[in-house]
PDB file of all heavy atoms in Angstrom:
ATOM      1  N   ALA A  12       0.835  -1.211  -0.016  1.00 98.00           N
ATOM      2  CA  ALA A  12       0.005  -0.001   0.007  1.00 98.00           C
ATOM      3  C   ALA A  12       0.866   1.245   0.003  1.00 98.00           C
ATOM      4  O   ALA A  12       0.571   2.211  -0.699  1.00 98.00           O
ATOM      5  CB  ALA A  12      -0.921   0.010   1.216  1.00 98.00           C
ATOM      6  N   ILE A  13       1.944   1.230   0.775  1.00 98.00           N
ATOM      7  CA  ILE A  13       2.833   2.411   0.817  1.00 98.00           C
ATOM      8  C   ILE A  13       3.650   2.521  -0.463  1.00 98.00           C
ATOM      9  O   ILE A  13       3.768   3.631  -1.006  1.00 98.00           O
ATOM     10  CB  ILE A  13       3.759   2.274   2.052  1.00 98.00           C
ATOM     11  CG1 ILE A  13       2.937   2.297   3.352  1.00 98.00           C
ATOM     12  CG2 ILE A  13       4.782   3.402   2.059  1.00 98.00           C
ATOM     13  CD1 ILE A  13       3.676   1.831   4.556  1.00 98.00           C
ATOM     14  N   GLN A  14       4.180   1.411  -0.949  1.00 98.00           N
ATOM     15  CA  GLN A  14       4.957   1.453  -2.163  1.00 98.00           C
ATOM     16  C   GLN A  14       4.141   1.934  -3.373  1.00 98.00           C
ATOM     17  O   GLN A  14       4.575   2.760  -4.187  1.00 98.00           O
ATOM     18  CB  GLN A  14       5.625   0.095  -2.506  1.00 98.00           C
ATOM     19  CG  GLN A  14       6.573   0.216  -3.698  1.00 98.00           C
ATOM     20  CD  GLN A  14       6.997  -1.132  -4.281  1.00 98.00           C
ATOM     21  OE1 GLN A  14       6.375  -2.175  -4.024  1.00 98.00           O
ATOM     22  NE2 GLN A  14       8.092  -1.126  -5.034  1.00 98.00           N
ATOM     23  N   ILE A  15       2.924   1.395  -3.475  1.00 98.00           N
ATOM     24  CA  ILE A  15       2.052   1.822  -4.603  1.00 98.00           C
ATOM     25  C   ILE A  15       1.665   3.290  -4.500  1.00 98.00           C
ATOM     26  O   ILE A  15       1.655   4.011  -5.480  1.00 98.00           O
ATOM     27  CB  ILE A  15       0.826   0.902  -4.687  1.00 98.00           C
ATOM     28  CG1 ILE A  15       1.252  -0.552  -5.018  1.00 98.00           C
ATOM     29  CG2 ILE A  15      -0.146   1.416  -5.766  1.00 98.00           C
ATOM     30  CD1 ILE A  15       0.093  -1.564  -4.883  1.00 98.00           C
ATOM     31  N   ALA A  16       1.376   3.729  -3.273  1.00 98.00           N
ATOM     32  CA  ALA A  16       1.028   5.158  -3.081  1.00 98.00           C
ATOM     33  C   ALA A  16       2.222   6.024  -3.459  1.00 98.00           C
ATOM     34  O   ALA A  16       2.047   7.063  -4.158  1.00 98.00           O
ATOM     35  CB  ALA A  16       0.660   5.409  -1.624  1.00 98.00           C
ATOM     36  N   GLU A  17       3.391   5.621  -3.126  1.00 98.00           N
ATOM     37  CA  GLU A  17       4.626   6.357  -3.502  1.00 98.00           C
ATOM     38  C   GLU A  17       4.729   6.441  -5.039  1.00 98.00           C
ATOM     39  O   GLU A  17       5.017   7.490  -5.612  1.00 98.00           O
ATOM     40  CB  GLU A  17       5.865   5.697  -2.937  1.00 98.00           C
ATOM     41  CG  GLU A  17       6.273   6.148  -1.598  1.00 98.00           C
ATOM     42  CD  GLU A  17       6.643   7.625  -1.580  1.00 98.00           C
ATOM     43  OE1 GLU A  17       7.468   8.063  -2.374  1.00 98.00           O
ATOM     44  OE2 GLU A  17       6.086   8.357  -0.716  1.00 98.00           O
ATOM     45  N   ALA A  18       4.529   5.286  -5.720  1.00 98.00           N
ATOM     46  CA  ALA A  18       4.629   5.248  -7.184  1.00 98.00           C
ATOM     47  C   ALA A  18       3.520   6.093  -7.842  1.00 98.00           C
ATOM     48  O   ALA A  18       3.758   6.728  -8.846  1.00 98.00           O
ATOM     49  CB  ALA A  18       4.522   3.801  -7.655  1.00 98.00           C
ATOM     50  N   THR A  19       2.327   6.136  -7.211  1.00 98.00           N
ATOM     51  CA  THR A  19       1.214   6.889  -7.764  1.00 98.00           C
ATOM     52  C   THR A  19       1.455   8.411  -7.670  1.00 98.00           C
ATOM     53  O   THR A  19       0.875   9.166  -8.430  1.00 98.00           O
ATOM     54  CB  THR A  19      -0.088   6.491  -7.050  1.00 98.00           C
ATOM     55  OG1 THR A  19      -0.263   5.077  -7.135  1.00 98.00           O
ATOM     56  CG2 THR A  19      -1.319   7.146  -7.749  1.00 98.00           C
ATOM     57  N   LYS A  20       2.303   8.803  -6.764  1.00 98.00           N
ATOM     58  CA  LYS A  20       2.606  10.263  -6.627  1.00 98.00           C
ATOM     59  C   LYS A  20       3.079  10.865  -7.947  1.00 98.00           C
ATOM     60  O   LYS A  20       2.850  12.027  -8.201  1.00 98.00           O
ATOM     61  CB  LYS A  20       3.663  10.473  -5.529  1.00 98.00           C
ATOM     62  CG  LYS A  20       3.108  10.546  -4.132  1.00 98.00           C
ATOM     63  CD  LYS A  20       4.133  10.382  -3.031  1.00 98.00           C
ATOM     64  CE  LYS A  20       5.358  11.209  -3.185  1.00 98.00           C
ATOM     65  NZ  LYS A  20       6.294  11.044  -2.040  1.00 98.00           N
ATOM     66  N   LYS A  21       3.699   9.992  -8.797  1.00 97.00           N
ATOM     67  CA  LYS A  21       4.195  10.512 -10.075  1.00 97.00           C
ATOM     68  C   LYS A  21       3.018  10.975 -10.946  1.00 97.00           C
ATOM     69  O   LYS A  21       3.229  11.769 -11.877  1.00 97.00           O
ATOM     70  CB  LYS A  21       4.980   9.409 -10.813  1.00 97.00           C
ATOM     71  CG  LYS A  21       6.208   8.956 -10.092  1.00 97.00           C
ATOM     72  CD  LYS A  21       6.773   7.712 -10.796  1.00 97.00           C
ATOM     73  CE  LYS A  21       7.717   6.914  -9.844  1.00 97.00           C
ATOM     74  NZ  LYS A  21       7.797   5.521 -10.225  1.00 97.00           N
ATOM     75  N   GLY A  22       1.825  10.443 -10.695  1.00 98.00           N
ATOM     76  CA  GLY A  22       0.664  10.811 -11.526  1.00 98.00           C
ATOM     77  C   GLY A  22      -0.098  11.993 -10.968  1.00 98.00           C
ATOM     78  O   GLY A  22      -1.085  12.399 -11.555  1.00 98.00           O
ATOM     79  N   ILE A  23       0.351  12.571  -9.871  1.00 98.00           N
ATOM     80  CA  ILE A  23      -0.329  13.753  -9.287  1.00 98.00           C
ATOM     81  C   ILE A  23       0.191  15.015  -9.933  1.00 98.00           C
ATOM     82  O   ILE A  23       1.373  15.272  -9.966  1.00 98.00           O
ATOM     83  CB  ILE A  23      -0.079  13.852  -7.782  1.00 98.00           C
ATOM     84  CG1 ILE A  23      -0.555  12.579  -7.084  1.00 98.00           C
ATOM     85  CG2 ILE A  23      -0.773  15.091  -7.203  1.00 98.00           C
ATOM     86  CD1 ILE A  23      -1.954  12.562  -6.552  1.00 98.00           C
ATOM     87  N   ASP A  24      -0.729  15.790 -10.500  1.00 98.00           N
ATOM     88  CA  ASP A  24      -0.383  17.059 -11.129  1.00 98.00           C
ATOM     89  C   ASP A  24      -0.173  18.157 -10.059  1.00 98.00           C
ATOM     90  O   ASP A  24      -0.587  17.959  -8.907  1.00 98.00           O
ATOM     91  CB  ASP A  24      -1.463  17.438 -12.116  1.00 98.00           C
ATOM     92  CG  ASP A  24      -1.070  18.582 -13.052  1.00 98.00           C
ATOM     93  OD1 ASP A  24       0.117  18.905 -13.111  1.00 98.00           O
ATOM     94  OD2 ASP A  24      -1.974  19.116 -13.720  1.00 98.00           O
ATOM     95  N   SER A  25       0.411  19.252 -10.443  1.00 98.00           N
ATOM     96  CA  SER A  25       0.646  20.343  -9.508  1.00 98.00           C
ATOM     97  C   SER A  25      -0.671  20.917  -8.933  1.00 98.00           C
ATOM     98  O   SER A  25      -0.651  21.541  -7.865  1.00 98.00           O
ATOM     99  CB  SER A  25       1.457  21.459 -10.178  1.00 98.00           C
ATOM    100  OG  SER A  25       0.732  21.916 -11.317  1.00 98.00           O
ATOM    101  N   ASP A  26      -1.768  20.719  -9.615  1.00 98.00           N
ATOM    102  CA  ASP A  26      -3.061  21.192  -9.120  1.00 98.00           C
ATOM    103  C   ASP A  26      -3.754  20.229  -8.113  1.00 98.00           C
ATOM    104  O   ASP A  26      -4.825  20.508  -7.647  1.00 98.00           O
ATOM    105  CB  ASP A  26      -4.010  21.503 -10.254  1.00 98.00           C
ATOM    106  CG  ASP A  26      -4.330  20.283 -11.113  1.00 98.00           C
ATOM    107  OD1 ASP A  26      -3.980  19.154 -10.718  1.00 98.00           O
ATOM    108  OD2 ASP A  26      -4.934  20.438 -12.202  1.00 98.00           O
ATOM    109  N   GLY A  27      -3.126  19.108  -7.861  1.00 98.00           N
ATOM    110  CA  GLY A  27      -3.652  18.113  -6.936  1.00 98.00           C
ATOM    111  C   GLY A  27      -4.474  17.015  -7.608  1.00 98.00           C
ATOM    112  O   GLY A  27      -4.828  16.032  -6.968  1.00 98.00           O
ATOM    113  N   GLY A  28      -4.785  17.181  -8.903  1.00 98.00           N
ATOM    114  CA  GLY A  28      -5.516  16.147  -9.621  1.00 98.00           C
ATOM    115  C   GLY A  28      -4.642  14.995 -10.018  1.00 98.00           C
ATOM    116  O   GLY A  28      -3.435  15.134 -10.246  1.00 98.00           O
ATOM    117  N   LEU A  29      -5.237  13.772 -10.124  1.00 98.00           N
ATOM    118  CA  LEU A  29      -4.502  12.600 -10.543  1.00 98.00           C
ATOM    119  C   LEU A  29      -4.761  12.336 -11.998  1.00 98.00           C
ATOM    120  O   LEU A  29      -5.917  12.219 -12.434  1.00 98.00           O
ATOM    121  CB  LEU A  29      -4.971  11.386  -9.690  1.00 98.00           C
ATOM    122  CG  LEU A  29      -4.259  10.057  -9.964  1.00 98.00           C
ATOM    123  CD1 LEU A  29      -2.757  10.128  -9.675  1.00 98.00           C
ATOM    124  CD2 LEU A  29      -4.895   8.929  -9.140  1.00 98.00           C
ATOM    125  N   TRP A  30      -3.699  12.284 -12.783  1.00 98.00           N
ATOM    126  CA  TRP A  30      -3.819  11.993 -14.206  1.00 98.00           C
ATOM    127  C   TRP A  30      -4.366  10.552 -14.421  1.00 98.00           C
ATOM    128  O   TRP A  30      -4.245   9.705 -13.514  1.00 98.00           O
ATOM    129  CB  TRP A  30      -2.460  12.095 -14.917  1.00 98.00           C
ATOM    130  CG  TRP A  30      -1.922  13.491 -14.985  1.00 98.00           C
ATOM    131  CD1 TRP A  30      -0.835  13.972 -14.354  1.00 98.00           C
ATOM    132  CD2 TRP A  30      -2.465  14.575 -15.759  1.00 98.00           C
ATOM    133  NE1 TRP A  30      -0.653  15.317 -14.684  1.00 98.00           N
ATOM    134  CE2 TRP A  30      -1.624  15.707 -15.593  1.00 98.00           C
ATOM    135  CE3 TRP A  30      -3.554  14.705 -16.668  1.00 98.00           C
ATOM    136  CZ2 TRP A  30      -1.858  16.936 -16.182  1.00 98.00           C
ATOM    137  CZ3 TRP A  30      -3.755  15.925 -17.264  1.00 98.00           C
ATOM    138  CH2 TRP A  30      -2.958  17.035 -17.028  1.00 98.00           C
ATOM    139  N   TYR A  31      -4.913  10.335 -15.581  1.00 97.00           N
ATOM    140  CA  TYR A  31      -5.619   9.058 -15.863  1.00 97.00           C
ATOM    141  C   TYR A  31      -4.626   7.906 -16.079  1.00 97.00           C
ATOM    142  O   TYR A  31      -4.591   6.977 -15.290  1.00 97.00           O
ATOM    143  CB  TYR A  31      -6.500   9.255 -17.082  1.00 97.00           C
ATOM    144  CG  TYR A  31      -7.348   8.074 -17.490  1.00 97.00           C
ATOM    145  CD1 TYR A  31      -8.044   7.351 -16.530  1.00 97.00           C
ATOM    146  CD2 TYR A  31      -7.439   7.666 -18.808  1.00 97.00           C
ATOM    147  CE1 TYR A  31      -8.859   6.270 -16.849  1.00 97.00           C
ATOM    148  CE2 TYR A  31      -8.234   6.576 -19.161  1.00 97.00           C
ATOM    149  CZ  TYR A  31      -8.922   5.891 -18.180  1.00 97.00           C
ATOM    150  OH  TYR A  31      -9.700   4.803 -18.527  1.00 97.00           O
ATOM    151  N   GLU A  32      -3.817   7.992 -17.091  1.00 97.00           N
ATOM    152  CA  GLU A  32      -2.874   6.894 -17.442  1.00 97.00           C
ATOM    153  C   GLU A  32      -1.583   7.440 -18.027  1.00 97.00           C
ATOM    154  O   GLU A  32      -1.549   8.563 -18.524  1.00 97.00           O
ATOM    155  CB  GLU A  32      -3.538   5.938 -18.478  1.00 97.00           C
ATOM    156  CG  GLU A  32      -4.702   5.142 -17.936  1.00 97.00           C
ATOM    157  CD  GLU A  32      -5.414   4.315 -18.986  1.00 97.00           C
ATOM    158  OE1 GLU A  32      -5.216   4.540 -20.207  1.00 97.00           O
ATOM    159  OE2 GLU A  32      -6.184   3.413 -18.612  1.00 97.00           O
ATOM    160  N   TYR A  33      -0.582   6.556 -18.039  1.00 97.00           N
ATOM    161  CA  TYR A  33       0.669   6.881 -18.667  1.00 97.00           C
ATOM    162  C   TYR A  33       1.105   5.684 -19.524  1.00 97.00           C
ATOM    163  O   TYR A  33       1.032   4.539 -19.076  1.00 97.00           O
ATOM    164  CB  TYR A  33       1.777   7.185 -17.614  1.00 97.00           C
ATOM    165  CG  TYR A  33       3.130   7.496 -18.242  1.00 97.00           C
ATOM    166  CD1 TYR A  33       3.375   8.738 -18.824  1.00 97.00           C
ATOM    167  CD2 TYR A  33       4.140   6.526 -18.232  1.00 97.00           C
ATOM    168  CE1 TYR A  33       4.624   9.023 -19.389  1.00 97.00           C
ATOM    169  CE2 TYR A  33       5.374   6.809 -18.801  1.00 97.00           C
ATOM    170  CZ  TYR A  33       5.635   8.058 -19.352  1.00 97.00           C
ATOM    171  OH  TYR A  33       6.845   8.330 -19.926  1.00 97.00           O
ATOM    172  N   ASP A  34       1.497   5.978 -20.776  1.00 95.00           N
ATOM    173  CA  ASP A  34       1.933   4.902 -21.668  1.00 95.00           C
ATOM    174  C   ASP A  34       3.490   4.861 -21.679  1.00 95.00           C
ATOM    175  O   ASP A  34       4.109   5.756 -22.253  1.00 95.00           O
ATOM    176  CB  ASP A  34       1.422   5.169 -23.099  1.00 95.00           C
ATOM    177  CG  ASP A  34       1.654   4.008 -24.037  1.00 95.00           C
ATOM    178  OD1 ASP A  34       2.698   3.282 -23.838  1.00 95.00           O
ATOM    179  OD2 ASP A  34       0.884   3.815 -24.981  1.00 95.00           O
ATOM    180  N   PRO A  35       4.092   3.905 -20.999  1.00 93.00           N
ATOM    181  CA  PRO A  35       5.571   3.875 -20.905  1.00 93.00           C
ATOM    182  C   PRO A  35       6.251   3.651 -22.222  1.00 93.00           C
ATOM    183  O   PRO A  35       7.351   4.152 -22.468  1.00 93.00           O
ATOM    184  CB  PRO A  35       5.853   2.734 -19.933  1.00 93.00           C
ATOM    185  CG  PRO A  35       4.563   2.204 -19.479  1.00 93.00           C
ATOM    186  CD  PRO A  35       3.463   2.778 -20.319  1.00 93.00           C
ATOM    187  N   GLU A  36       5.560   2.887 -23.106  1.00 91.00           N
ATOM    188  CA  GLU A  36       6.208   2.591 -24.403  1.00 91.00           C
ATOM    189  C   GLU A  36       6.314   3.839 -25.240  1.00 91.00           C
ATOM    190  O   GLU A  36       7.345   4.134 -25.855  1.00 91.00           O
ATOM    191  CB  GLU A  36       5.387   1.519 -25.128  1.00 91.00           C
ATOM    192  CG  GLU A  36       6.135   0.911 -26.317  1.00 91.00           C
ATOM    193  CD  GLU A  36       5.313  -0.195 -26.991  1.00 91.00           C
ATOM    194  OE1 GLU A  36       4.769  -1.066 -26.250  1.00 91.00           O
ATOM    195  OE2 GLU A  36       5.269  -0.201 -28.209  1.00 91.00           O
ATOM    196  N   LYS A  37       5.239   4.637 -25.292  1.00 93.00           N
ATOM    197  CA  LYS A  37       5.243   5.872 -26.047  1.00 93.00           C
ATOM    198  C   LYS A  37       5.758   7.036 -25.267  1.00 93.00           C
ATOM    199  O   LYS A  37       5.894   8.133 -25.824  1.00 93.00           O
ATOM    200  CB  LYS A  37       3.811   6.180 -26.562  1.00 93.00           C
ATOM    201  CG  LYS A  37       3.218   5.139 -27.510  1.00 93.00           C
ATOM    202  CD  LYS A  37       1.793   5.581 -27.872  1.00 93.00           C
ATOM    203  CE  LYS A  37       1.141   4.556 -28.756  1.00 93.00           C
ATOM    204  NZ  LYS A  37      -0.302   4.870 -28.993  1.00 93.00           N
ATOM    205  N   LYS A  38       6.013   6.796 -23.954  1.00 94.00           N
ATOM    206  CA  LYS A  38       6.391   7.902 -23.043  1.00 94.00           C
ATOM    207  C   LYS A  38       5.376   9.052 -23.140  1.00 94.00           C
ATOM    208  O   LYS A  38       5.755  10.230 -23.326  1.00 94.00           O
ATOM    209  CB  LYS A  38       7.804   8.383 -23.334  1.00 94.00           C
ATOM    210  CG  LYS A  38       8.879   7.351 -23.075  1.00 94.00           C
ATOM    211  CD  LYS A  38      10.266   7.969 -23.097  1.00 94.00           C
ATOM    212  CE  LYS A  38      11.265   7.025 -22.511  1.00 94.00           C
ATOM    213  NZ  LYS A  38      11.949   6.190 -23.414  1.00 94.00           N
ATOM    214  N   GLU A  39       4.123   8.663 -23.046  1.00 95.00           N
ATOM    215  CA  GLU A  39       3.042   9.591 -23.324  1.00 95.00           C
ATOM    216  C   GLU A  39       2.003   9.546 -22.183  1.00 95.00           C
ATOM    217  O   GLU A  39       1.531   8.492 -21.807  1.00 95.00           O
ATOM    218  CB  GLU A  39       2.362   9.200 -24.651  1.00 95.00           C
ATOM    219  CG  GLU A  39       1.347  10.193 -25.149  1.00 95.00           C
ATOM    220  CD  GLU A  39       0.836   9.739 -26.551  1.00 95.00           C
ATOM    221  OE1 GLU A  39       1.578   9.964 -27.533  1.00 95.00           O
ATOM    222  OE2 GLU A  39      -0.251   9.153 -26.617  1.00 95.00           O
ATOM    223  N   LEU A  40       1.665  10.755 -21.698  1.00 96.00           N
ATOM    224  CA  LEU A  40       0.653  10.851 -20.658  1.00 96.00           C
ATOM    225  C   LEU A  40      -0.715  10.956 -21.315  1.00 96.00           C
ATOM    226  O   LEU A  40      -0.903  11.707 -22.276  1.00 96.00           O
ATOM    227  CB  LEU A  40       0.918  12.123 -19.829  1.00 96.00           C
ATOM    228  CG  LEU A  40       0.019  12.364 -18.602  1.00 96.00           C
ATOM    229  CD1 LEU A  40       0.302  11.383 -17.505  1.00 96.00           C
ATOM    230  CD2 LEU A  40       0.202  13.802 -18.118  1.00 96.00           C
ATOM    231  N   ILE A  41      -1.685  10.172 -20.806  1.00 96.00           N
ATOM    232  CA  ILE A  41      -3.057  10.352 -21.249  1.00 96.00           C
ATOM    233  C   ILE A  41      -3.598  11.475 -20.383  1.00 96.00           C
ATOM    234  O   ILE A  41      -3.986  11.284 -19.209  1.00 96.00           O
ATOM    235  CB  ILE A  41      -3.913   9.064 -21.091  1.00 96.00           C
ATOM    236  CG1 ILE A  41      -3.448   8.001 -22.129  1.00 96.00           C
ATOM    237  CG2 ILE A  41      -5.371   9.351 -21.342  1.00 96.00           C
ATOM    238  CD1 ILE A  41      -2.238   7.259 -21.798  1.00 96.00           C
ATOM    239  N   ALA A  42      -3.589  12.680 -20.981  1.00 96.00           N
ATOM    240  CA  ALA A  42      -3.741  13.914 -20.178  1.00 96.00           C
ATOM    241  C   ALA A  42      -5.191  14.225 -19.866  1.00 96.00           C
ATOM    242  O   ALA A  42      -5.770  15.215 -20.359  1.00 96.00           O
ATOM    243  CB  ALA A  42      -3.062  15.097 -20.892  1.00 96.00           C
ATOM    244  N   GLU A  43      -5.816  13.349 -19.119  1.00 98.00           N
ATOM    245  CA  GLU A  43      -7.188  13.511 -18.659  1.00 98.00           C
ATOM    246  C   GLU A  43      -7.226  13.215 -17.174  1.00 98.00           C
ATOM    247  O   GLU A  43      -6.423  12.423 -16.666  1.00 98.00           O
ATOM    248  CB  GLU A  43      -8.140  12.569 -19.402  1.00 98.00           C
ATOM    249  CG  GLU A  43      -8.124  12.710 -20.898  1.00 98.00           C
ATOM    250  CD  GLU A  43      -8.803  11.589 -21.634  1.00 98.00           C
ATOM    251  OE1 GLU A  43      -9.258  10.588 -20.972  1.00 98.00           O
ATOM    252  OE2 GLU A  43      -8.923  11.643 -22.883  1.00 98.00           O
ATOM    253  N   LYS A  44      -8.140  13.851 -16.483  1.00 98.00           N
ATOM    254  CA  LYS A  44      -8.335  13.589 -15.049  1.00 98.00           C
ATOM    255  C   LYS A  44      -9.794  13.150 -14.844  1.00 98.00           C
ATOM    256  O   LYS A  44     -10.681  13.974 -14.810  1.00 98.00           O
ATOM    257  CB  LYS A  44      -8.001  14.829 -14.222  1.00 98.00           C
ATOM    258  CG  LYS A  44      -6.527  15.187 -14.269  1.00 98.00           C
ATOM    259  CD  LYS A  44      -6.225  16.592 -13.748  1.00 98.00           C
ATOM    260  CE  LYS A  44      -4.780  16.926 -13.985  1.00 98.00           C
ATOM    261  NZ  LYS A  44      -4.541  18.375 -13.818  1.00 98.00           N
ATOM    262  N   HIS A  45      -9.988  11.842 -14.831  1.00 98.00           N
ATOM    263  CA  HIS A  45     -11.335  11.267 -14.689  1.00 98.00           C
ATOM    264  C   HIS A  45     -11.773  11.303 -13.210  1.00 98.00           C
ATOM    265  O   HIS A  45     -10.938  11.403 -12.275  1.00 98.00           O
ATOM    266  CB  HIS A  45     -11.364   9.825 -15.138  1.00 98.00           C
ATOM    267  CG  HIS A  45     -11.119   9.687 -16.619  1.00 98.00           C
ATOM    268  ND1 HIS A  45     -11.475   8.553 -17.337  1.00 98.00           N
ATOM    269  CD2 HIS A  45     -10.571  10.534 -17.542  1.00 98.00           C
ATOM    270  CE1 HIS A  45     -11.104   8.724 -18.608  1.00 98.00           C
ATOM    271  NE2 HIS A  45     -10.574   9.888 -18.762  1.00 98.00           N
TER     272      HIS A  45
END
């Protein structure tokens, strides 16, 4: 739970919203906040 929360921090935007998904192969953020 702690390790996953730490990893998820990378998906938090400066406004506090959590981005939807990240494509590691394309190095591309799916820039939506559902």
